Amino acid sequence: MSSPRVDVDGVSVSPDHYINGERIASSRTFEDRSPLDWTWKLANVARASSVEADLAVTAAESAFPAWAELSLEERGSYLDRLADLIDRDVEDIAHVECLDMAMLEESLRQRVIGRGARNFRAYAELARNYEPRRWSSNGTENTVLRMPAGPTVVITPWNAPFMLSTWKCAPALAAGNTVILKPAEWSPLSCSMLMDLVEEAEFPPGVFNVVQGFGAEVGAALVSDPRVRRISFTGSPETGRLIGEAAAKNLVPFTAELGGKGPFVVFADADLDSAAEKAAVMYDDGGQVCLAGTRLLVEASVRDAFVERFEVATKRHVLGDSRDIATTISPLIHPDHLARVEGFVKRAKVNGDTVVFGGVTLTKDGLWYEPTLIEPSSNDSEIVQHEVFGPVLTLQSFTDEAEAVKLANSTPYGLSAIVYTSSEERAERVGSRLRAGTIWVNCFLVRDLTAPFGGAGISGIGREGGDYALDFYSDLKTLQIKEGTTRG
Ligand code: NAD
């Protein structure tokens, strides 16, 4: 049984799950509201329990053998078709995702949703071009082959849900696995739209499924199912630990891309104008970006010069409706998340940290929080050591390179780091010492899909991206043939 489709500001969206090629409703639903206007209910979305989790894993398990048997060429053609359909529907997907999670519509349209299409195309191509490692040893010819692993659960967070989900589902499908995707309950709609395109691309039923609902209910049921052979998760370290425990019980490999508290290191030899402009970008999307460099570490000799420029750049930000092209800072996703961000700043004040600017909620208008800069009283302050996931940065200074590296590496996180310097030697030296999965020097968010991606410390386990992802979603095996074995 399916529910009627919902009109989301002119775009038709199904509020149901997509299991075994069919839309399926649940007896329970949850309300999905727009952060742009919290009184605006976008949809009542199906709320799965362990029953729907079981249905989805059963569908993925039944579809797996035939999907795994397809040639790389055949599987790739499904992924390419899906990519073309995403490109066709970018405007609608961007609009709905903007309403659902308040990311800036222009960047969704220009950049983020299109990345979803590129994910499917790139992984189809990479899988097709796989060149197995071959070598001779001990009188045998060795070849490393990839075997599809089996049903795969993908669990994603509420920020950039379409792009982050496709980033994981694309390599899983290309590798020959079937997929059950559970998007976050705060922004479920764009992944439902993806399923319309999966149907239109005529994927075999059960190959790519979506279940909607809460993490503690359907999420926990999915990751505990022993038929699942891979789990890929993006979200908070707290949930990552729970998923890791479930994966360990069933001895299932899992990857976790978790939170960040990246350093933004500015050396005295840097182009301070560019560094300050880029530092102000950390407030974009309400600071709800895991890769952001939220700890500004500035060489003491240029601290004042940098802060002056940074304040000017920050003042140019426009808080507003994410549909408006002039807006640069969107509201936060949910009242609970706003309360979390407020809590961090309140506790910082009690702790003796100094609010340089910001620290204000624009409650009369909704869920906006002003760009905020805090000078901590100590490097141990909570505001330095914990991810806020909002428009709140900290400012600290250092006197030499060794202290910069020490401060940069001084939290339990290790997702990303940003460094501004004009010296390539320093870039390489510091880059090699920073503990982070991705380090950007004089740039930010430049990504190559073939590069490994993930976090050190509590920012993650495992690496995805390019062949790293295809290896993760496969069981690798070594074929050894005794030399001299005749052909034919
Ligand atoms: P979250 O951990 O609360 O939820 C993420 C997903 O896990 C949701 O779909 C949720 O329903 C599900 N979930 C919750 N409990 C579960 C359980 N017990 N079993 C199974 N699934 C469960 O994270 P969030 O608040 O949605 O997202 C914000 C976090 O994600 C931040 O920490 C952010 O840094 C991180 N993030 C990391 C990356 C990255 O690439 N490293 C990217 C985006 C976001």
Side-chain angles (χ1 to χ4, degrees):
M1 270 276 287
S2 62
S3 327
R5 294 176 71 89
V6 181
D7 181 332
V8 179
D9 203 27
V11 182
S12 165
V13 182
S14 169
D16 289 343
H17 317 295
Y18 184 76
I19 299 174
N20 208 22
E22 287 181 16
R23 290 289 180 179
I24 294 178
S26 285
S27 54
R28 297 180 306 165
T29 59
F30 62 94
E31 285 186 352
D32 179 35
R33 293 184 174 273
S34 176
L36 298 181
D37 171 1
W38 200 247
T39 64
W40 186 2
K41 186 170 79 178
L42 299 172
N44 285 321
V45 177
R47 178 172 166 181
S49 64
S50 56
V51 174
E52 290 88 344
D54 180 66
L55 278 178
V57 179
T58 303
E61 191 188 30
S62 312
F64 173 66
W67 181 250
E69 270 300 306
L70 290 182
S71 68
L72 291 168
E73 208 47 60
E74 286 169 311
R75 276 205 300 271
S77 66
Y78 284 97
L79 271 63
D80 286 339
R81 270 206 299 281
L82 185 54
D84 292 345
L85 294 170
I86 293 170
D87 279 338
R88 184 196 69 190
D89 285 1
V90 159
E91 299 278 316
D92 281 355
I93 300 167
H95 187 57
V96 170
E97 191 157 293
C98 169
L99 297 178
D100 207 12
M101 58 109 10
M103 199 170 188
L104 301 177
E105 183 158 2
E106 187 62 7
S107 73
L108 284 166
R109 203 173 18 221
Q110 295 291 344
R111 196 170 54 81
V112 182
I113 302 300
R115 252 287 298 280
R118 285 204 295 286
N119 285 335
F120 285 108
R121 238 177 243 121
Y123 278 108
E125 192 60 15
L126 267 174
R128 277 188 204 110
N129 293 342
Y130 178 55
E131 286 189 14
R133 187 178 158 222
R134 295 178 200 279
W135 74 104
S136 304
S137 69
N138 302 323
T140 63
E141 288 295 328
N142 304 271
T143 312
V144 177
L145 299 173
R146 286 177 177 154
M147 283 189 288
T152 296
V153 165
V154 173
I155 297 193
T156 46
W158 48 259
N159 69 317
F162 190 88
M163 191 274 284
L164 286 176
S165 299
T166 57
W167 159 251
K168 292 165 168 295
C169 296
L173 291 163
N177 298 352
T178 50
V179 170
I180 306 118
L181 165 64
K182 196 213 77 70
E185 52 271 40
W186 283 357
S187 54
L189 299 183
S190 55
C191 288
S192 180
M193 294 175 78
L194 177 62
M195 290 301 104
D196 288 341
L197 305 184
V198 165
E199 184 160 41
E200 195 177 338
E202 297 181 341
F203 274 61
V207 166
F208 197 176
N209 310 274
V210 159
V211 285
Q212 303 282 13
F214 294 172
E217 297 174 356
V218 65
L222 286 169
V223 296
S224 308
D225 191 310
R227 295 170 292 174
V228 167
R229 296 319 308 153
R230 286 293 182 278
I231 299 170
S232 176
F233 171 69
T234 302
S236 62
E238 294 73 28
T239 309
R241 286 193 182 94
L242 295 176
I243 292 180
E245 281 171 23
K249 278 196 184 122
N250 292 327
L251 296 177
V252 177
F254 87 112
T255 55
E257 294 171 5
L258 306 174
K261 189 76 188 176
F264 189 116
V265 188
V266 182
F267 285 100
D269 63 8
D271 173 343
L272 290 189
D273 291 322
S274 309
E277 286 294 326
K278 197 58 90 182
V281 165
M282 303 302 129
Y283 291 126
D284 284 11
D285 290 310
Q288 300 166 118
V289 178
C290 56
L291 295 163
T294 51
R295 290 181 293 133
L296 304 180
L297 306 178
V298 185
E299 192 157 348
S301 58
V302 295
R303 181 201 174 279
D304 293 349
F306 172 82
V307 171
E308 195 182 307
R309 287 166 171 78
F310 174 62
E311 288 203 38
V312 171
T314 299
K315 281 200 182 109
R316 281 203 295 276
H317 270 303
V318 180
L319 280 74
D321 189 314
S322 310
R323 289 167 290 185
D324 187 340
I325 198 152
T327 299
T328 59
I329 296 195
S330 51
L332 302 187
I333 176 84
H334 193 283
D336 291 354
H337 188 56
L338 175 62
R340 185 175 175 274
V341 172
E342 288 171 331
F344 272 109
V345 177
K346 274 188 199 140
R347 290 193 297 279
K349 287 180 189 162
V350 171
N351 186 51
D353 304 333
T354 306
V355 177
V356 182
F357 58 74
V360 177
T361 308
L362 303 177
T363 37
K364 71 174 171 42
D365 296 323
L367 304 176
W368 283 266
Y369 197 80
E370 275 198 353
T372 299
L373 182 67
I374 295 182
E375 271 198 280
S377 53
S378 136
N379 192 52
D380 295 333
S381 293
E382 182 196 44
I383 202 74
V384 178
Q385 294 295 327
H386 288 270
E387 180 186 44
V388 177
F389 216 50
V392 180
L393 307 186
T394 56
L395 173 68
Q396 294 167 274
S397 45
F398 60 86
T399 50
D400 57 23
E401 200 176 289
E403 193 187 5
V405 170
K406 190 170 170 212
L407 281 172
N409 289 342
S410 69
T411 77
Y413 298 88
L415 188 60
S416 61
I418 302 165
V419 179
Y420 270 76
T421 174
S422 58
S423 156
E424 197 177 337
E425 289 78 29
R426 191 201 295 279
E428 285 172 2
R429 207 166 50 234
V430 171
S432 70
R433 290 184 189 145
L434 290 178
R435 193 175 61 113
T438 303
I439 297 157
W440 284 290
V441 180
N442 299 328
C443 59
F444 175 54
L445 286 188
V446 185
R447 291 285 307 281
D448 179 330
L449 294 185
T450 62
F453 181 78
I458 65 165
S459 288
I461 288 184
R463 292 292 180 271
E464 297 205 36
D467 281 323
Y468 304 90
L470 290 167
D471 280 351
F472 166 70
Y473 291 109
S474 307
D475 281 317
L476 297 183
K477 63 183 170 189
T478 309
L479 177 68
Q480 284 190 283
I481 301 178
K482 189 165 189 232
E483 275 168 5
T485 304
T486 49
R487 294 198 167 270

